[in-house]
Amino acid sequence: MLRLDAELNKDVIAELKKPLGKLYHDFEDAIDEIKSSKFLISVGDATFSNLIKYELYPNLAIIDNLVQRKNYDHDVIHTENILKSNNPAGTITEDLWETIGKALQLCGNGECYVIDVDGEEDLAVLPCILMASEDTTILYGQPNEGLVILKVSDTIKKAQTLIDAFIEE
């Protein structure tokens, strides 16, 4: 398991609070870029919900049924392909890594998969960057700011640098 420590990883935590890609304050402004994506991963409940609202279906969605630490219930997930993973806040567990890997393999058939995380999905962006193909687009919410869209090819080195700073347990 990889863990962030509030004292030892202050720099990493500060870096993770900055967008890893392009920030859109309005979801609607990002729709054309989202539609042009060859392979799409969404991380976060609000991001997934917004995609569904516009009938845009990611290849993989990672949710934890929370939006800004408050319970969030999805009306319709739009797939029966749901995988479960355990991942406490501030960590990236082996279970999450393995579940993302499995989902990425399964997504190859063109169906949408959802990983329902028991715990917190916030840091799942990093393993997604490191495991997905370089032409993948990842979306996630930047709290109180908007939507971040990143291209895996542009962020692999940054993601690896961040992951390398985590504490391994």
Side-chain angles (χ1 to χ4, degrees):
M1 172 168 47
L2 299 174
R3 181 178 59 83
L4 283 176
D5 181 278
E7 289 301 313
L8 298 174
N9 297 113
K10 285 180 184 175
D11 294 344
V12 175
I13 293 169
E15 203 59 35
L16 287 168
K17 290 183 180 189
K18 300 175 190 172
L20 293 172
K22 184 174 182 182
L23 176 65
Y24 287 88
H25 295 288
D26 239 335
F27 189 89
E28 292 81 12
D29 294 340
I31 290 175
D32 287 341
E33 186 171 350
I34 294 168
K35 285 182 177 179
S36 72
S37 301
K38 292 180 182 174
F39 193 90
L40 188 63
I41 298 174
S42 75
V43 178
D45 295 70
T47 301
F48 184 51
S49 181
N50 278 324
L51 286 168
I52 300 303
K53 175 182 168 185
Y54 287 96
E55 298 183 357
L56 301 167
Y57 303 100
N59 300 88
L60 173 60
I62 304 175
I63 60 172
D64 63 6
N65 298 299
L66 297 169
V67 173
Q68 294 192 356
R69 311 283 187 258
K70 293 183 178 81
N71 287 337
Y72 184 84
D73 185 28
H74 292 273
D75 294 334
V76 182
I77 288 185
H78 291 279
T79 185
E80 293 178 9
N81 302 323
I82 300 173
L83 304 172
K84 301 280 188 181
S85 181
N86 291 307
N87 194 73
T91 68
I92 302 174
T93 62
E94 287 295 321
D95 184 47
L96 183 61
W97 281 98
E98 290 169 8
T99 306
I100 291 170
K102 179 179 180 181
L104 288 170
Q105 287 179 335
L106 293 169
C107 288
N109 67 10
E111 292 186 47
C112 174
Y113 278 80
V114 173
I115 298 174
D116 186 356
V117 176
D118 181 12
E120 190 175 276
E121 96 293 87
D122 296 13
L123 296 172
V125 170
L126 297 173
C128 286
I129 292 168
L130 296 176
M131 296 172 71
S133 64
E134 288 194 15
D135 62 348
T136 299
T137 301
I138 300 176
L139 312 177
Y140 69 92
Q142 189 73 19
N144 302 314
E145 291 189 54
L147 175 74
V148 176
I149 298 183
L150 64 84
K151 301 292 184 194
V152 166
S153 59
D154 297 337
T155 52
I156 293 172
K157 289 179 184 171
K158 174 87 167 179
Q160 188 62 59
T161 300
L162 291 167
I163 285 283
D164 289 345
F166 279 58
I167 297 164
E168 192 167 347
E169 295 182 338

